Amino acid sequence: MTRIDDTFARLKAEGKKAFVAYVMAGDPDYETSLEVIKGLPGAGVDIIELGLPFTDPMADGPTIQLAGQRALEAGQTLEKTLQMARELRKTDDKTPIVMMGYYNPIYSRGVGRFLTDAREAGIDGLIVVDLPPEEDKELCIPAQEAGLNFIRLATPTTDDARLPKVLQNTSGFVYYVSITGITGAAEAQAGDVGPEVERIKAQTDLPVIVGFGIKTPEASEAIAGVADGAVVGSAIVGEIAAGKPVAEILAFVKSLADGAHRA
């Protein structure tokens, strides 16, 4: 049982849906980013998705691309991202941390070394958007053997023939991408998402969390109402990009979390 498994078991017992928040590590700088991350659990965040900045983030829209650029320009690295997890773990041993990004920085560090360091830092799961199931031997299976969940994305174009392959070595939860395209583009619609979530749940016992296109507390509540939880990234990153005080950013996060928890 990982922290992710424990969190979903607790939420289920409480009759609540999960709220997952994405932030880009190191955006706009290390100190501000760490302050935001440390404040997320108190704002009602059940799982933290910690973005690993990368120079060529092909799945991300302008908001998260720019966040990655700001972080890299401020000197953020994979090592500093792991250090952020270590800092959070000094005061919080319960909130799961999922590192989300691309394979290149992990490959450059070396898979074995990365997994050892990630586990030691308190990382609970990985989302690596550019590693398909056909490449599971690269990272997915070693990660699971090291005790980390490997979380896979399913999309509106993942048909019934492809879905079993996507689910094959997935653990922790399934991340359903509610819209076709890049992050932060269109708005997610619960009426479209609900049947897709049911289709996935017919083939797995894992929780299904929905992200992309959720920007308001009302949308967070609506999407969580048809899934096991909601993920918000671009809307939070946008608040950080606007240079708002950390307290204001966390108040916005709390409004989104409250929406999901009302579902």
Side-chain angles (χ1 to χ4, degrees):
M1 292 282 283
T2 64
R3 289 187 187 92
I4 296 171
D5 300 324
D6 290 341
T7 295
F8 280 111
R10 173 182 58 80
L11 289 168
K12 187 174 183 179
E14 294 172 359
K16 289 170 68 175
K17 302 300 180 74
F19 180 71
V20 183
Y22 171 97
V23 292
M24 178 65 73
D27 174 36
D29 55 66
Y30 183 91
E31 291 75 17
T32 306
S33 183
L34 183 58
E35 188 180 352
V36 170
I37 290 162
K38 285 185 169 182
L40 292 176
V45 173
D46 299 300
I47 298 173
I48 297 169
E49 276 185 16
L50 192 57
L52 178 61
F54 179 53
T55 51
D56 188 22
M58 59 187 179
D60 295 309
T63 300
I64 291 178
Q65 283 194 19
L66 289 169
Q69 288 178 16
R70 288 191 297 271
L72 291 169
E73 287 167 5
Q76 189 69 12
T77 61
L78 173 54
E79 179 55 39
K80 287 185 177 181
T81 303
L82 291 170
Q83 186 57 34
M84 286 181 154
R86 295 184 193 108
E87 291 295 327
L88 178 64
R89 287 287 171 244
K90 290 179 181 178
T91 55
D92 184 323
D93 193 44
K94 291 187 176 178
T95 306
I97 305 171
V98 175
M99 187 179 285
M100 183 171 186
Y102 298 82
Y103 186 43
N104 186 277
I106 296 169
Y107 176 80
S108 297
R109 191 179 188 89
V111 168
R113 179 185 172 203
F114 167 75
L115 291 174
T116 298
D117 293 346
R119 184 74 192 268
E120 174 270 326
I123 301 292
D124 303 287
L126 303 174
I127 300 174
V128 182
V129 297
D130 55 347
L131 273 184
E134 287 74 15
E135 305 293 336
D136 275 358
K137 288 186 290 185
E138 285 281 330
L139 181 62
C140 172
I141 291 169
Q144 309 247 39
E145 289 172 349
L148 279 76
N149 290 125
F150 198 88
I151 295 138
R152 193 86 67 190
L153 304 181
T155 74
T157 59
T158 307
D159 61 20
D160 288 338
R162 178 67 174 167
L163 187 57
K165 187 74 173 175
V166 169
L167 297 173
Q168 184 174 298
N169 291 312
T170 299
S171 66
F173 60 90
V174 179
Y175 187 137
Y176 179 68
V177 176
S178 64
I179 54 176
T180 304
I182 54 176
T183 57
E187 290 195 18
Q189 301 295 328
D192 298 330
V193 168
E196 290 295 294
V197 170
E198 289 305 312
R199 183 170 69 91
I200 296 167
K201 290 176 81 67
Q203 296 200 37
T204 181
D205 293 329
L206 291 171
V208 180
I209 307 300
V210 176
F212 284 49
I214 303 170
K215 303 174 183 178
T216 65
E218 293 75 21
S220 182
E221 180 177 2
I223 293 298
V226 297
D228 295 302
V231 186
V232 179
S234 294
I236 297 169
V237 171
E239 297 286 296
I240 295 169
K244 295 188 177 179
V246 170
E248 279 188 35
I249 295 165
L250 294 174
F252 175 63
V253 172
K254 185 177 187 304
S255 72
L256 296 164
D258 288 348
H261 291 150
R262 279 195 301 269

